Amino acid sequence: MFSGKKVLITAGPTYEPLDPVRFIGNHSTGKMGYALAKSLADEGAEIFLVSGPTALTLKHSQVHLTNVMTADEMFAACAQIAPEADLWIFAAAVADYKPKDTAASKIKKSDATFTIELVKNVDIAATLGQQKRIDQFAVGFALETDQELENARGKLLKKNLDMVVLNSLRDPGAGFKHDTNKITIVKAETVEEYELKTKDEVAQDILESIKAEWACLQKK
């Protein structure tokens, strides 16, 4: 199914600078997104991987890598690729907020407290979801700590996604900084739960689930 398809994948964190030295970020390593990119490329898909800062590398003739740092940069790269892509997979942990102002030079320590004003970043999946065609398939990721299924179902609808891959930080071995993951795949009509597996194995489970759902949608 994936041979000859064009696939947009986001991976890793975004870093939102406070000044030339400091930033707001998260613990994402990008491992899940890179595992998906490799698995899809091995199946013959042409991959457009938009990656935030990570220590990972992926050399594959079918993978085109674009490195970005901020959410704005990631959105700009995705917006160029998305219209031509058949499949979108938003696996990156994009910062929800960024500093309203970025200092041109290093902020010096002075007062006992320091206040930063934050503004919302663009919601990449939701914004692109407004433009998604019926022949395109979109997958989102949700990392939750509370009301996991409810929040995942909300993202499915609000962002015009076909599928949400849910991770819970309550599950040992899942989430950031692990080579393993434990996922639940949430679709419009079904919920699929999986055991703890390596991220390479999880990538295969996600691809099989995409195949099944995409095939069903194409029949409608």
Side-chain angles (χ1 to χ4, degrees), residues 7 17 58 82 84-85 94 100 103 111 113 123 129 161 163 196 207 209:
V7 183
L58 177 55
E84 304 302 321
V94 182
K100 182 179 180 182
D111 298 333
T113 61
D123 188 321
L161 299 168
M163 208 171 95
L196 184 72
L207 297 196
S209 189

Side-chain angles (χ1 to χ4, degrees), residues 72-103:
D72 287 338
E73 291 171 354
M74 183 170 284
F75 173 66
C78 290
Q80 286 189 326
I81 300 164
E84 304 302 321
D86 303 291
L87 170 62
W88 304 343
I89 301 180
F90 300 108
V94 182
D96 292 325
Y97 292 88
K98 64 182 176 182
K100 182 179 180 182
D101 299 302
T102 301

Side-chain angles (χ1 to χ4, degrees), residues 165-219:
V165 180
L166 171 64
N167 305 269
S168 173
L169 283 178
R170 296 178 183 274
D171 293 323
F176 297 144
K177 294 185 175 181
H178 295 288
D179 291 324
T180 54
N181 207 358
K182 185 176 185 296
I183 64 166
T184 299
I185 294 179
V186 181
K187 302 177 182 178
E189 298 178 1
T190 61
V191 174
E192 304 165 4
E193 296 186 4
Y194 295 83
E195 298 300 318
L196 184 72
K197 299 182 181 184
T198 68
K199 287 187 174 176
D200 287 338
E201 291 172 324
V202 171
Q204 288 300 318
D205 287 337
I206 293 171
L207 297 196
E208 290 304 313
S209 189
I210 291 172
K211 287 177 185 177
E213 185 69 10
W214 206 351
C216 288
L217 291 175
Q218 288 174 342
K219 292 176 182 177

Side-chain angles (χ1 to χ4, degrees), residues 107-128:
I107 300 170
K108 295 296 184 181
K109 179 169 61 177
S110 54
D111 298 333
T113 61
F114 177 65
T115 301
I116 303 168
E117 186 174 0
L118 302 177
V119 295
K120 272 189 177 181
N121 268 324
V122 61
D123 188 321
I124 297 173
T127 303
L128 294 177

Side-chain angles (χ1 to χ4, degrees), residues 9-67:
I9 302 178
T10 67
T14 65
Y15 289 172
E16 312 299 328
L18 292 166
D19 62 21
V21 177
R22 305 175 182 90
F23 61 85
I24 295 171
N26 57 62
H27 297 296
S28 174
T29 61
K31 290 178 180 177
M32 194 69 256
Y34 275 66
L36 284 162
K38 184 179 184 305
S39 294
L40 279 159
D42 286 344
E43 292 203 23
E46 184 178 9
I47 310 301
F48 297 87
L49 177 61
V50 181
S51 175
T54 119
L56 301 176
T57 59
L58 177 55
K59 294 183 178 180
H60 195 294
S61 60
Q62 292 289 101
V63 177
H64 312 285
L65 175 63
T66 300
N67 291 302

